[in-house]
Amino acid sequence: HTHTSPAAPSRAYRPVNSPIPLTASQELLALQSYLLAGPTNSLLPTIDTSRPLDPMSLVGFHANDAHGWTELRAEVEPVVIWSTGPAWTDPVHELLALYALTPGPHTLSLDSRPDQAAIKATLSRLVTGRSADSPAPLITIGGRPIDGYAPLLKLHVEGKLHGMLERAGAVVDGKRAQEELDRARAARLQKRVKQARIVFRDEDDEA
């Protein structure tokens, strides 16, 4: 009698490994990227905000896809202000205006969104010490959360904010940098025009 091994179960019936959970920083980055990707992107009203969000639904790849996260971090907006209203957000804009950033801060207004409650609940789970009803704006710099104006001001006073902004990909004093670049280009153009005139003049003299 020949013993035969049972056939392997079809792919549909094989056990599926439990998905790798997102870290808080990954989940915040995925949520931010998803919400900024299009004006119609929103969280479903039936979502369970006490549980980690599904990365496949937000960014289209799994938690263990290192290449996907590397690409997403490279594309992240340098500075995003999750706005809870102008009274709380205006001081943040005024402080960041001192740095003349390029690109400027991107504002994600929560109060006008139908999914604001779900977003605020999710942020309270992802950001240590933040409550779901916090009126303070959340500022993300390179995806790193700063909960409100006071800690942002503290980083500014301590001289740490400048480096954070640059590491996030923002050009500090970007307007001045662009003006200097334009002046340098104009100077090079003027130099080439002057050289061309000398060449033409020499050719005329030879003629």
Side-chain angles (χ1 to χ4, degrees):
H1 178 70
T2 304
H3 176 75
T4 57
S5 300
S10 66
R11 187 180 186 90
Y13 294 98
R14 291 176 188 171
V16 179
N17 293 329
S18 298
I20 298 173
L22 294 172
T23 64
S25 62
Q26 285 177 327
E27 193 175 345
L28 180 60
L29 180 62
L31 176 61
Q32 173 178 293
S33 298
Y34 172 73
L35 295 178
L36 293 178
T40 60
N41 286 0
S42 62
L43 299 182
L44 295 174
T46 55
I47 195 168
D48 183 356
T49 57
S50 67
R51 298 176 59 82
L53 301 173
D54 175 20
M56 286 297 293
S57 300
L58 298 178
V59 291
F61 53 81
H62 292 289
N64 58 348
D65 186 341
H67 179 70
W69 290 111
T70 299
E71 285 194 338
L72 192 64
R73 289 191 180 280
E75 298 168 359
V76 68
E77 288 276 352
V79 182
V80 177
I81 302 171
W82 303 64
S83 172
T84 52
W88 292 90
T89 308
D90 283 353
V92 174
H93 281 287
E94 290 170 4
L95 175 56
L96 292 175
L98 299 176
Y99 291 86
L101 299 175
T102 301
H106 191 114
T107 301
L108 181 59
S109 180
L110 300 184
D111 287 348
S112 61
R113 299 182 59 97
D115 59 347
Q116 61 172 291
I119 294 176
K120 290 177 180 179
T122 302
L123 293 179
S124 71
R125 176 171 56 78
L126 297 177
V127 181
T128 303
R130 186 177 179 87
S131 63
D133 58 354
S134 173
L138 181 73
I139 305 99
T140 49
I141 299 179
R144 174 184 169 182
I146 299 169
D147 192 13
Y149 175 74
L152 185 72
L153 178 61
K154 184 173 184 288
L155 289 168
H156 168 69
V157 171
E158 293 175 349
K160 298 177 180 178
L161 186 54
H162 187 287
M164 282 184 65
L165 293 167
E166 288 191 327
R167 286 191 296 273
V171 178
V172 176
D173 211 356
K175 184 177 180 181
R176 180 183 299 175
Q178 186 61 49
E179 290 173 349
E180 291 175 355
L181 182 63
D182 291 342
R183 282 196 296 270
R185 286 173 175 167
R188 287 196 298 271
L189 178 61
Q190 188 175 15
K191 184 178 179 180
R192 286 196 294 269
V193 170
K194 186 176 181 180
Q195 289 172 338
R197 285 174 177 169
I198 293 173
V199 171
F200 292 144
R201 186 175 61 199
D202 290 344
E203 290 177 349
D204 290 342
D205 291 343
E206 290 176 2

